[in-house]
Amino acid sequence: MRSRNDPPARVRAVVESHGGRYLGVGGQVNVAEGEPMLTYPVLIKFPDLAAAHG
């Protein structure tokens, strides 16, 4: 069974094909105020906005 901390290969392939790389996957979310909006955080870095938009 695949870990939640390992995005599926097809998703990883799309992110990497646009120059993206994972900086953080999963982890605890601490909400200081209001209701949490994220259920599973993923932080991806792209070289620029154009690459992120594909």
Side-chain angles (χ1 to χ4, degrees), residues 12 15-25 42-47:
R12 185 174 290 279
V15 168
E16 291 174 355
S17 74
H18 292 281
R21 65 184 182 95
Y22 288 87
L23 299 180
V25 180
V42 177
L43 182 61
I44 302 171
K45 179 179 180 178
F46 288 94

Side-chain angles (χ1 to χ4, degrees), residues 2-8 11-12 22 24-31 36-44:
R2 183 179 56 83
S3 164
R4 285 193 79 184
N5 290 340
D6 184 28
V11 174
R12 185 174 290 279
Y22 288 87
V25 180
Q28 184 175 344
V29 176
N30 295 311
V31 179
M37 296 179 63
L38 300 174
T39 58
Y40 190 74
V42 177
L43 182 61
I44 302 171

